[in-house]
Amino acid sequence: MLRKLLISSSSSSSSVLSNGILRRAFPSLSSFSSSLSLSTSSYSSSPQTDTDPSSPNKDETEDTTILQPSLKISIDRSSLYTPPEHSHEPSSDSELVKHLKGIIKFRGGPISVAEYMEEVLTNPKAGFYINRDVFGSGGDFITSPEVSQMFGEMVGIWAMSLWEQMGQPEKVNLIELGPGRGTLMVDLLRGSSKFEKFMKSLNIHMVECSPTLKKLQYNALKCTEEVDTGSGDKTVVSMFGGAPVSWHATLEQVPSGLPTIIIGHEFYDALPVHQFQRASRGWCEKMVDVADDASFRFVLSQQPTPATLYLMKRCTWATKEDIAKLDQIEICLKGMDLTQTIAKRIGSDGGGALIIDYGSDGIVSDSLQAIRKHKFVDILDDPGSADLSAYVDFASIRNSAKEASEEVSVHGPMSQSQFLGFLGINFRVEALLQNCTDEQAESLRNGYWQLVGDGEAPFWEGPEDKTPIGMGTRYLAMAIVNKNQGSPVPFQ
């Protein structure tokens, strides 16, 4: 039957192709006649012989041929895109640079300074914080906990005082944002080790995105795994008081429901900032684009960006006179959102947060900077090889917290020198100096000056390029607490 269909169709295939199937399948085929032509005037034949001896019509089919249409197609390719030849020359760009350029190319335009900053610092594969230890003298910058143990001890005194104001709850979440090497938490726990009731109340939560730093924190806290004989669940505990320790990528992942003490030391300054510049058409967001020579460059947005809404909000928290003086403004969207998350949690669960960072109690103009090996470098130079940070807008933190919850009160900021001094760092350094070697005494004095001093240390006798520079007035401290607990020390 199939053979008969093929034989019968071959004699009329031309008319079928031209008048039947093609017209039904492609009703608009005639419109393509200029670029696509079909030729059905010639055919090719190929004999097919039935070799089955049982076939009843063998003689009838021996000389039968099946005609198949020969289809010739011509295509006009003149308007098709011809890609340039692929270059096999190796690119000197780092993986992060290629990634950033890929984002800009995919978007078809520049990206915000905030997005650039976030990729540079926390890109999962090549971010500055992700795969290296960036702290200490061997890193790119030094933080207060790395300067002296006294810093963590004073923060521990603040945390214990707040815990007492909360009524000494049996369980409390102690959260540190961006714990670095874990030095601050180690000093806090070691300094508080004699206060057993406080130590037993602690559930420690480290908010950290870097796998490398997580390992350093785990080792610094001398963590071990304990297995619950009943459930078989494993719990990581610190040898400092036996407090359970857990890690989270964000604050939102930390379980709620318990009174909470949050420590945010030099965390806000690493959050990405949006920069705006005054132009003839108004405030324009500063963006990062790729120049003709394949380097990065700054440009201004042509249209309002989503971050403009936050700029408008920030401007309502400042006077018109302050805004009129500025040609540039920095705002930290993630800092505002983080503060609101903190305030809502403290408002519902109780507790407080301590924020210590360098910044100002007012709107910030242009502070974004890059530091590589303790030296300032260009922000756009070799992204991923230097730390990016910006001044913290403490006024924005205050207003964001108040806006988020009516159950919290905000205190400060005060200088780091005042904060540590009120908590007793002067007495602590004197006690430590009583039982130490000359070398240890020099280290203590240098550390003390860096924490509370202003400018260069006056007593330094070493190399000029290593003169201790005081952080006492450049760093500020602010507290956000539940109103039911009153004013925290030392902000009364």
Side-chain angles (χ1 to χ4, degrees):
M1 182 66 181
L2 177 61
R3 185 185 295 109
K4 291 182 179 180
L5 286 172
L6 290 172
I7 293 172
S8 63
S9 66
S10 65
S11 62
S12 58
S13 58
S14 176
S15 61
V16 170
L17 280 171
S18 61
N19 300 318
I21 297 174
L22 285 176
R23 291 188 182 277
R24 288 196 299 271
F26 305 102
S28 59
L29 184 63
S30 59
S31 65
F32 299 117
S33 59
S34 61
S35 61
L36 179 64
S37 62
L38 298 176
S39 175
T40 59
S41 59
S42 61
Y43 290 85
S44 62
S45 62
S46 59
Q48 293 184 357
T49 304
D50 191 345
T51 58
D52 185 357
S54 63
S55 173
N57 299 317
K58 182 174 184 297
D59 295 336
E60 180 183 341
T61 59
E62 280 183 349
D63 297 325
T64 301
T65 60
I66 299 176
L67 298 179
Q68 296 179 346
S70 175
L71 187 66
K72 294 182 179 180
I73 302 176
S74 62
I75 300 176
D76 179 9
R77 294 185 173 87
S78 61
S79 62
L80 295 179
Y81 170 71
T82 303
E85 290 187 16
H86 176 69
S87 174
H88 294 279
E89 293 295 324
S91 172
S92 60
D93 287 345
S94 67
E95 289 301 316
L96 183 58
V97 170
K98 292 177 183 176
H99 176 68
L100 288 166
K101 290 181 178 179
I103 294 175
I104 294 171
K105 182 178 180 181
F106 177 77
R107 298 275 181 85
I111 60 176
S112 68
V113 170
E115 188 170 4
Y116 172 85
M117 185 176 177
E118 187 168 19
E119 288 288 345
V120 167
L121 296 181
T122 61
N123 179 274
K125 291 185 178 180
F128 179 76
Y129 290 134
I130 299 301
N131 300 313
R132 68 186 71 158
D133 175 13
V134 299
F135 300 95
S137 58
D140 293 271
F141 54 91
I142 298 175
T143 63
S144 295
E146 306 297 331
V147 168
S148 173
Q149 68 182 61
M150 294 182 290
F151 183 83
E153 292 171 348
M154 296 301 105
V155 173
I157 292 174
W158 182 87
M160 282 191 292
S161 299
L162 183 64
W163 173 74
E164 289 183 348
Q165 285 182 295
M166 286 190 279
Q168 301 185 5
E170 292 185 1
K171 290 296 178 183
V172 63
N173 284 332
L174 176 59
I175 304 171
E176 184 176 2
L177 306 176
R181 288 176 172 175
T183 307
L184 187 154
M185 186 62 70
V186 168
D187 292 336
L188 185 158
L189 296 175
R190 182 180 42 75
S192 308
S193 59
K194 294 182 179 179
F195 301 89
E196 294 184 7
K197 190 174 180 180
F198 172 70
M199 294 294 290
K200 289 181 179 179
S201 71
L202 298 179
N203 291 308
I204 299 173
H205 299 275
M206 311 286 264
V207 176
E208 180 60 68
C209 64
S210 167
T212 300
L213 293 179
K214 286 180 183 178
K215 293 178 182 178
L216 291 175
Q217 295 155 15
Y218 185 97
N219 294 330
L221 290 168
K222 301 186 184 301
C223 290
T224 59
E225 290 188 353
E226 292 186 355
V227 179
D228 189 315
T229 55
S231 63
D233 295 336
K234 292 183 179 180
T235 303
V236 177
V237 298
S238 170
M239 295 299 290
F240 295 100
V245 185
S246 57
W247 280 263
H248 314 271
T250 64
L251 176 60
E252 288 82 358
Q253 295 177 2
V254 179
S256 59
L258 288 177
T260 300
I261 300 174
I262 299 173
I263 308 297
H265 173 257
E266 287 199 51
F267 183 77
Y268 273 79
D269 68 278
L271 296 177
V273 295
H274 292 260
Q275 292 188 320
F276 288 86
Q277 185 170 314
R278 194 191 297 272
S280 58
R281 59 182 180 272
W283 287 103
C284 301
E285 184 164 5
K286 203 171 178 180
M287 314 288 280
V288 177
D289 201 0
V290 179
D292 292 337
D293 62 357
S295 64
F296 291 110
R297 63 170 181 168
F298 289 118
V299 297
L300 295 181
S301 63
Q302 296 298 313
Q303 302 293 335
T305 61
T308 306
L309 294 175
Y310 283 80
L311 172 66
M312 295 171 61
K313 175 187 285 191
R314 181 61 189 88
C315 288
T316 63
W317 297 336
T319 64
K320 292 182 179 180
E321 291 76 12
D322 289 338
I323 299 298
K325 297 175 184 176
L326 300 175
D327 290 325
Q328 296 190 74
I329 294 178
E330 278 179 357
I331 59 171
C332 183
L333 277 62
K334 289 206 168 184
M336 294 181 184
D337 292 341
L338 172 64
T339 301
Q340 295 202 336
T341 300
I342 290 173
K344 290 176 182 177
R345 179 169 296 216
I346 292 172
S348 60
D349 294 346
L354 175 66
I355 300 165
I356 302 178
D357 226 310
Y358 62 92
S360 63
D361 189 15
I363 201 163
V364 178
S365 176
D366 181 18
S367 70
L368 182 61
Q369 58 191 15
I371 301 175
R372 182 191 300 133
K373 300 299 179 183
H374 306 278
K375 295 181 179 180
F376 293 105
V377 296
D378 189 282
I379 294 168
L380 300 180
D381 177 50
D382 192 12
S385 67
D387 175 46
L388 301 182
S389 62
Y391 270 42
V392 175
D393 180 355
F394 282 89
S396 178
I397 294 176
R398 180 192 304 109
N399 285 285
S400 295
K402 291 180 177 180
E403 182 183 89
S405 175
E406 296 180 353
E407 303 302 319
V408 302
S409 58
V410 184
H411 305 267
M414 65 171 56
S415 71
Q416 178 171 289
S417 177
Q418 292 174 309
F419 177 78
L420 297 176
F422 286 139
L423 290 172
I425 193 172
N426 296 341
F427 300 105
R428 180 56 177 160
V429 70
E430 289 177 5
L432 291 172
L433 286 171
Q434 298 300 318
N435 298 294
C436 63
T437 65
D438 291 342
E439 184 178 353
Q440 290 172 333
E442 182 180 3
S443 177
L444 280 169
R445 285 193 294 269
N446 293 343
Y448 172 79
W449 179 263
Q450 285 183 261
L451 292 177
V452 304
D454 180 18
E456 296 183 354
F459 53 80
W460 180 248
E461 297 179 355
E464 290 185 5
D465 60 338
K466 294 185 178 180
T467 303
I469 306 298
M471 306 175 183
T473 56
R474 290 188 295 120
Y475 281 70
L476 303 178
M478 174 177 277
I480 304 170
V481 299
N482 189 289
K483 284 183 176 179
N484 295 330
Q485 296 154 197
S487 299
V489 295
F491 296 92
Q492 291 93 340

